[in-house]
Amino acid sequence: MTRTAAEIDRSAMIGVGLMLLVAVINAVDAVLVRLMSPAVHPFIIGFTRSLFGLLVVLPWILARPRILRSHYRFRHVLRAALKLASLVAFFAAFASAPLADATAMAFTAPIFVSIGAWVFLSEQPRAIRVVASVLGFIGVLIVLRPGHGTGISIGLLYALLGALLTGVIQLILKPMSARDSTETLVAWNLILTVPIAIIPALWVWVTPTPAQWGFLALQGVLGALNMSLVTRALSLADASLIAPMDFLRLPIVAFLAFMIFGQTVSVSTWIGAAVIFGATLLMARSARSRKFREI
C-alpha cells in the first residue's frame, strides 16, 4: 500500500522525536558514568551495561529464536569486541574529561566512516565529503587545543579513540546488514559482548555498592532502550534527516554537567563542536543528494 505524503511526514516527525529522546538518553548515560567514577572502573561499567542490556532484551530474543540465524560468525565476535572497546574508551573519557568536550569528540565518528570507506571499501571520495572531512579535522583540533599550555587531555584522546572505533564498527556493519537483519545484529552483539566483557572486568573487579548497582542497572536498561529507539527511528525516517538530532546531545550534556557537577563549557568547545556538526551535515547532505540523483 502506497503511503500518502502526510503519512510519510508524520513518520518522519516521529523518527525525529525518537532521535531527540536518544540524545537525552545518551546525555544521561554520560552523567551516570561521571557519577560512578572513579569508584567503578570503565571495564566494570562495560560488563554490567552489556549484562543488564542483555537481560532486558532476552525475553524478546527467546520469543523469536529465528533472529539468531546469521550468515556470519567471526564478524559478530569482532564487532562485539570493538563495540566493547569503544564503550570503555568513552566511559574513560566521560570519567576524566569535561563531559561536553568528550561529547563533542564523539561526533567525529561519521568522519572516520567516510575516510574508512575511501580506504577500505574503495568508495570514490567526493569533493564535498573531502571538504567535510577537512572541516571535521579542524573542529577536532579546536576542541583538543594542542599547544594550549596544559596540553591535550588524555580523556579527550579516549573520546577520539571511541569515535574511531565507532567508525570502524559501522564499516564492518555495512556489508553485514545486507545479509543479516537489524534484529539479528542487535541480538548477537548483546549476546557476545557479555562473555567478552567479563574477562577485563574480573581483572579489575571491585564489588559496587547498592547505589552503584542501581546506576549500573539503569545504564544497562537505557542502553537497550537506546538501540531499540535508534532502530525504530531509522525505520521511520531517512538517516540524513534524523542523524543531526544527535547533536542536541551536546547542549543537553552541557546543561546537566553544569547543574550536577558545576562544569562550564569553553568557547573553543562550542566552536569546535559547531565545525564538526557542520562537517557531518555536509556529509549527510551529500548522501541525500546522491540518493535523489539515483532515483
Side-chain angles (χ1 to χ4, degrees), residues 107-160:
F107 296 146
T108 60
I111 299 170
F112 289 122
V113 172
S114 290
I115 295 174
W118 302 336
V119 176
F120 299 108
L121 301 182
S122 301
E123 291 188 5
Q124 293 298 318
R126 303 176 61 202
I128 189 171
R129 292 197 174 187
V130 173
V131 171
S133 296
V134 173
L135 282 177
F137 180 70
I138 293 173
V140 169
L141 291 179
I142 293 173
V143 177
L144 289 178
R145 289 170 287 177
H148 186 265
T150 58
I152 299 176
S153 165
I154 186 65
L156 293 186
L157 292 181
Y158 280 133
L160 198 59

Side-chain angles (χ1 to χ4, degrees), residues 1-83:
M1 181 181 295
T2 303
R3 296 193 301 168
T4 65
E7 290 174 335
I8 294 175
D9 290 342
R10 190 179 305 111
S11 294
M13 291 303 298
I14 294 174
V16 169
L18 291 178
M19 282 303 294
L20 177 58
L21 183 55
V22 168
V24 175
I25 290 174
N26 285 331
V28 173
D29 191 12
V31 170
L32 289 174
V33 173
R34 188 75 178 200
L35 286 170
M36 290 184 287
S37 66
V40 184
H41 195 281
F43 284 159
I44 298 176
I45 298 177
F47 166 66
T48 56
R49 177 192 175 97
S50 304
L51 176 63
F52 286 114
L54 176 60
L55 291 176
V56 169
V57 302
L58 190 58
W60 170 71
I61 295 175
L62 294 176
R64 305 177 62 186
R66 283 183 293 181
I67 66 173
L68 295 180
R69 296 176 183 173
S70 173
H71 294 85
Y72 305 96
R73 292 183 181 178
F74 174 74
R75 290 191 190 183
H76 282 300
V77 177
L78 175 61
R79 174 176 163 246
L82 291 174
K83 179 65 174 179

Side-chain angles (χ1 to χ4, degrees), residues 170-233:
Q170 292 182 20
L171 291 172
I172 294 173
L173 269 176
K174 186 173 183 179
M176 292 179 68
S177 61
R179 302 187 68 185
D180 280 7
S181 68
T182 301
E183 292 82 0
T184 300
L185 295 171
V186 170
W188 275 116
N189 182 72
L190 288 170
I191 291 171
L192 291 172
T193 302
V194 173
I196 294 173
I198 196 173
I199 299 173
L202 289 175
W203 185 37
V204 296
W205 185 264
V206 175
T207 303
T209 66
Q212 291 166 351
W213 274 120
F215 285 142
L216 292 168
L218 174 59
Q219 191 189 36
V221 172
L222 291 178
L225 178 60
N226 187 12
M227 284 191 296
S228 300
L229 291 176
V230 171
T231 302
R232 180 58 177 164

